[in-house]
Structures are given as C-alpha cells and as structure tokens.
Amino acid sequence: MKTKSFGLIAILLVAVVVGFIGIGSMVSAGGPEEITQKAYVSGDVKAFVQLLGNDIAVSIVEENNTRTISSIYVYYESSPLPRSDINTCNDVKVGEPITFKNMAEGKKGADNIVVEAVFEDKSTEIIGKTYFSFL
C-alpha cells in the first residue's frame, strides 16, 4: 500500500512540475510571446515570422522561385480595412531577417500576423500567416 501511495504522489508531483513548466513557458516578462514560428507557406516562397519582445522579425526563403519580390507588407489579420497598421519593407533580401520595430507594442489578445509579398510584376500573394498570443 505504501508503494502505491508513493507512486501516485510521484506521478502527481511530475504532473505539477510539467504544468508549471508549461505555464511558465506561456508567460513572458511583460511582452508578447511567440506561439508558433511558421504556420503558413505558399508555393516556392516562404515567410518565417518571429516575435522578439515588441519587434516582429520576418525572413523570406525562396525555393526555385522565378518571380522577384519587390516589397513585403506585414500586418495583423484582424485590422479593419483599409489597414492603417501596415508595415512595409521595400528592401527585401532573401534569407536576411527584416525587423519591424515595436510592431507588437501594446498588442493584446491573439492574432495572425500576415506577410504579403509584392512581386516585380505588381502581383501580390500572402506568403506567411503566423498565429501569436500577446500578453
């Protein structure tokens, strides 16, 4: 009987420790937190989005892409149209992170960050959509 009680206590203790680790990883020091890094890819162009404190970093990766990206737009999916919070980068270098300073400052709740590419032929395509929870 003593062994069964010890086993049950050990299992409960492990569950509590794992729970604290999980909760601790979801709570940040006052800033937003990344839930996932890559949630959406489109064709031969992929956008990796990271949340770094109040900054949003986007890296573009191309695989056999025949179109050249001239600029990207980064915005929150929940923003009403016309979007007033669109962040633009006109100097896109594939593989190099592009940082949008303080884009997440003051953001609360959860939202998708959308990355939309504008190609040289003026066509546009969503190349990234990543879900984040902001604390």
Side-chain angles (χ1 to χ4, degrees), residues 8 11 18 20 41 43 47 52 56 58 75 83 87 89 95 97 104 107:
L8 182 60
I11 290 171
V18 169
F20 279 125
V41 294
L52 307 170
I56 304 289
V58 176
Y75 54 88
R83 291 185 166 90
N87 291 273
C89 176
K107 183 75 174 163

Side-chain angles (χ1 to χ4, degrees), residues 85-103:
D85 66 342
I86 289 181
N87 291 273
T88 305
C89 176
N90 295 317
D91 185 25
V92 178
K93 292 183 175 64
V94 174
E96 291 185 21
I98 303 161
T99 302
F100 297 91
K101 294 284 187 187
N102 297 318
M103 184 175 168

